Amino acid sequence: MDFTTADLYDERGTELDSVSTQFRNFGTRTAFSGPARTIRCFQDNALIKTMLATPGHGAVLVVDGGGSLETALMGDLIATSAIKNDWSGVIINGAIRDSTVINTLPLGVKALGTNPAKSTKTGTGETDTPVRLGNVTITPGKMVYADVDGILTEKSPTEG
């Protein structure tokens, strides 16, 4: 990727929202971007696994996991599936596992932290619905830009 979020914000600040929530960085892609696809789920990764097994076409999956660090929403197998299916990156408002392996993969990953505990797999949650990360609502289809400094997304027309 040929951008930094700081430079993008300097150039287009009035068009972008900056996520205030602090995420840890994983994977070897330190900068990634693409149109948002979204999932809202809580301690259940079935929808994440299903979505990342479909063609991503360079999209970024944004997961609102409710900020839970009790169970991991993605591990190395799901991350590998994301790579095979051309996803640019994954942002998880929650935990991941297998971080040592994920840190060797060519995928951009942001998560709040890690936990080795598995999540449930019932499929509870919602896909392609607006999700909130800290102070920002991320709408499906809006561009998301992420690097080691943070996350930016395009504002919706109704947002200031």
Side-chain angles (χ1 to χ4, degrees):
M1 293 281 134
D2 193 21
F3 71 88
T4 68
T5 54
D7 288 344
L8 277 175
Y9 195 83
D10 288 349
E11 294 168 17
R12 301 178 50 206
T14 59
E15 303 166 21
L16 301 170
D17 280 324
S18 178
V19 175
S20 62
T21 303
Q22 299 297 295
F23 288 85
R24 289 177 57 190
N25 299 290
F26 302 92
T28 64
R29 288 183 85 181
T30 58
F32 57 95
S33 65
R37 296 286 309 272
T38 63
I39 293 177
R40 182 180 299 121
C41 59
F42 187 74
Q43 298 180 6
D44 186 320
N45 74 351
L47 293 175
I48 298 167
K49 181 178 180 181
T50 299
M51 187 173 287
L52 291 175
T54 65
H57 306 291
V60 174
L61 179 60
V62 181
V63 178
D64 179 1
S68 174
L69 298 173
E70 298 296 318
T71 64
L73 292 176
M74 185 176 76
D76 60 339
L77 298 178
I78 294 174
T80 299
S81 176
I83 295 162
K84 289 179 182 174
N85 289 295
D86 191 32
W87 289 83
S88 177
V90 181
I91 299 169
I92 298 179
N93 185 21
I96 66 166
R97 60 191 247 152
D98 303 313
S99 63
T100 300
V101 175
I102 289 173
N103 279 333
T104 68
L105 299 177
L107 181 68
V109 178
K110 285 186 166 285
L112 295 179
T114 61
N115 190 324
K118 289 182 178 183
S119 67
T120 61
K121 293 154 185 18
T122 63
T124 303
E126 299 174 84
T127 60
D128 292 320
T129 185
V131 297
R132 194 138 177 96
L133 295 183
N135 59 328
V136 173
T137 300
I138 298 178
T139 305
K142 292 293 182 184
M143 283 297 293
V144 174
Y145 306 91
D147 70 4
V148 295
D149 285 337
I151 302 165
L152 299 172
T153 186
E154 294 176 320
K155 289 183 180 182
S156 295
T158 58
E159 294 176 324

